[in-house]
Amino acid sequence: MSIDSTDFAPSGDQQPSDDAGPRTAVVIPAAGKGVRLGPGTPKALRELGGTPMLVHAVRATARARAVDLVVVVAPPDGAPAVRTLLGEHGLPGVVVVPGGGTRQDSVRLGLAALPDTVETVLVHDAARPLVPDETVDAVARAVRAGAPAVVPALPVTDTIKQVEPHPGAEPEPVTGTVDRSLLRAVQTPQGFARTVLAEAHTRLTAEGDGATDDAGMVERLGVDVVVVPGHEEAFKVTRPLDLVLAEAVLARRRAHDAF
Ligand code: CTP
Ligand code: MG
């Protein structure tokens, strides 16, 4: 989508029926506190290279050719401030809604703000501000090609041990070593046929939650989920060291762009 458009006019590569309204939307949950990052501003508003993480995330997804609409889920009392912030950064066409107490609540509130015309929904963490637009487009393409649920993921590089967990600092007995070749570390954006994700949120909200990602919710409905290649720059900013990595990635991009 054209990132400075105010009306989500097609930027050239969308599907034929764009005149009828946006067909592919990204919901960006950004209502978390960022406890693991340490005290301070809510994580999505922390700056990377002088620009709030959320602004990076909105630009990264809005830049993708498949994306017609971006919905940001702001901290519960922060929607007006986020609206102002996005306007100041040349992103006035983004829909902003207040979020909830859990990520799942926030995603549900974002889904509720989608116009009826939206058929494909991507859910993307504000905490993954540097996702390449190619990854966003690859996920959207796979959904449009017929997959009801698509997650980008990378092979796991660490060796993973299963343990008998001990609460304290005592050594934990190892109970097995998982076959790494069968594991994938999943990222966002995760993409869905809108009806599938909406149904998961309706049914699982009623039954109580517990899934740790959006695809996990639709898996519980028995819907097939497929994996497409993720990208190392789509990593999540969770702990302080991740900020160092994100700054380094931005610096590398800037150096590259200068040539
Ligand atoms: N999120 C949200 N609403 C919540 C909790 C999380 O929209 N109630 C969003 C975060 O803003 C983030 C994404 O979900 O973009 C992934 O969550 P996570 O990385 O865990 O972020 P935080 O919850 O902010 O971090 P922490 O768990 O360290 O507090
Ligand atoms: Mg969290």
Side-chain angles (χ1 to χ4, degrees):
M1 99 184 217
S2 160
I3 61 169
D4 57 359
S5 73
T6 52
D7 57 1
F8 307 110
S11 59
D13 191 49
Q14 284 83 5
Q15 303 295 301
S17 67
D18 271 340
D19 292 351
R23 291 187 56 195
T24 299
V26 181
V27 172
I28 302 184
K33 295 189 170 71
V35 171
R36 287 168 290 179
L37 207 50
T41 321
K43 180 161 74 179
L45 304 179
R46 296 276 283 259
E47 294 192 350
L48 286 180
T51 302
M53 217 181 292
L54 174 62
V55 172
H56 287 285
V58 170
R59 286 192 179 138
T61 52
R63 201 181 290 131
R65 297 154 79 100
V67 171
D68 304 316
L69 172 67
V70 178
V71 175
V72 167
V73 187
D77 57 358
V82 165
R83 236 170 253 132
T84 304
L85 177 82
L86 295 176
E88 286 167 359
H89 285 83
L91 297 162
V94 175
V95 174
V96 180
V97 297
T102 64
R103 184 182 181 283
Q104 191 173 319
D105 282 340
S106 295
V107 171
R108 185 172 41 79
L109 291 162
L111 291 177
L114 295 178
D116 290 344
T117 52
V118 171
E119 294 168 352
T120 299
V121 182
L122 310 188
V123 182
H124 179 64
D125 293 330
R128 297 180 189 271
L130 303 180
V131 63
D133 53 350
E134 292 86 359
T135 306
V136 179
D137 275 323
V139 170
R141 248 194 329 269
V143 178
R144 285 179 169 183
V150 178
V151 298
L154 292 175
V156 172
T157 53
D158 289 323
T159 294
I160 308 287
K161 300 282 184 204
Q162 211 161 3
V163 298
E164 206 172 279
H166 276 190
E170 257 181 70
E172 297 176 316
V174 170
T175 56
T177 302
V178 183
D179 180 359
R180 191 169 70 186
S181 69
L182 299 178
L183 300 180
R184 300 289 180 268
V186 307
Q187 305 177 321
T188 72
Q190 300 189 352
F192 305 91
R194 184 220 185 123
T195 48
V196 167
L197 187 58
E199 189 184 348
H201 272 272
T202 309
R203 297 224 330 232
L204 299 183
T205 305
E207 289 167 16
D209 55 19
T212 53
D213 71 344
D214 305 287
M217 293 183 68
V218 309
E219 279 165 53
R220 289 176 180 209
L221 298 188
V223 171
D224 290 339
V225 178
V226 295
V227 164
V228 297
H231 196 286
E232 60 181 357
E233 293 183 2
F235 66 93
K236 186 154 74 76
V237 175
T238 305
R239 300 186 188 88
L241 193 61
D242 300 322
L243 285 175
V244 177
L245 178 60
E247 293 286 3
V249 170
L250 276 180
R252 185 175 71 177
R253 286 185 186 174
R254 284 187 182 137
H256 184 264
D257 290 349
F259 288 101

